[in-house]
Amino acid sequence: QVRLVESGGGLVQPGGSLRLSCAASGIIRNINAMGWFRQAPGKERELVATITSGSRTVYADSVKGRFTISRDNAKNTLYLQMNNLRPEDTAVYYCNANVLTTDWRIIPDAWGQGTLVTVSS
């Protein structure tokens, strides 16, 4: 199958930075779009940013200018550089990918287990 594993979460003070990573492994032929989502306590999961295989990006308005999404296609790895973090960025961050498997199946929404980001002084 396909596995996505996030890392890089933690506790950071307001104004600080963190870099999240998401490593994809398994029966992967190609990864199309990838993205980061987040879910704060008591709220629904929301889009943070997405990136296509050609590196076209889309950001939520709330993170524009502060977060940068990128990917290393050779390593099947997704990144999220988060700068100038705010308390309202506190959430579990999830990696998402649209995957073409080696046996030519499409997994439209592969998800990781999430990594917790806490922004607090």
Side-chain angles (χ1 to χ4, degrees):
Q1 291 299 327
V2 174
R3 187 179 183 209
L4 302 180
V5 179
E6 301 99 334
S7 60
L11 173 64
V12 63
Q13 292 187 343
S17 298
L18 281 175
R19 189 191 195 209
L20 305 183
S21 299
C22 170
S25 62
I27 52 170
I28 298 170
R29 179 176 297 275
N30 186 54
I31 301 178
N32 300 310
M34 302 184 79
W36 289 99
F37 291 73
R38 67 185 181 186
Q39 188 166 17
K43 295 187 177 181
E44 294 193 355
R45 191 173 297 189
E46 63 176 4
L47 172 71
V48 176
T50 62
I51 184 168
T52 67
S53 57
S55 294
R56 293 176 64 183
T57 59
V58 173
Y59 293 93
D61 288 342
S62 59
V63 305
K64 281 181 182 177
R66 301 188 297 123
F67 291 10
T68 302
I69 189 171
S70 62
R71 61 191 286 174
D72 184 333
N73 291 329
K75 296 181 179 179
N76 287 336
T77 301
L78 178 70
Y79 303 100
L80 185 68
Q81 178 66 44
M82 305 186 294
N83 298 328
N84 192 19
L85 282 159
R86 305 167 179 169
E88 54 264 38
D89 295 318
T90 295
V92 177
Y93 284 70
Y94 297 91
C95 174
N96 173 271
N98 180 295
V99 178
L100 176 65
T101 65
T102 53
D103 55 353
W104 299 101
R105 290 180 294 116
I106 293 176
I107 300 176
D109 281 304
W111 290 95
Q113 83 290 345
T115 186
L116 177 63
V117 172
T118 303
V119 185
S120 175
S121 55

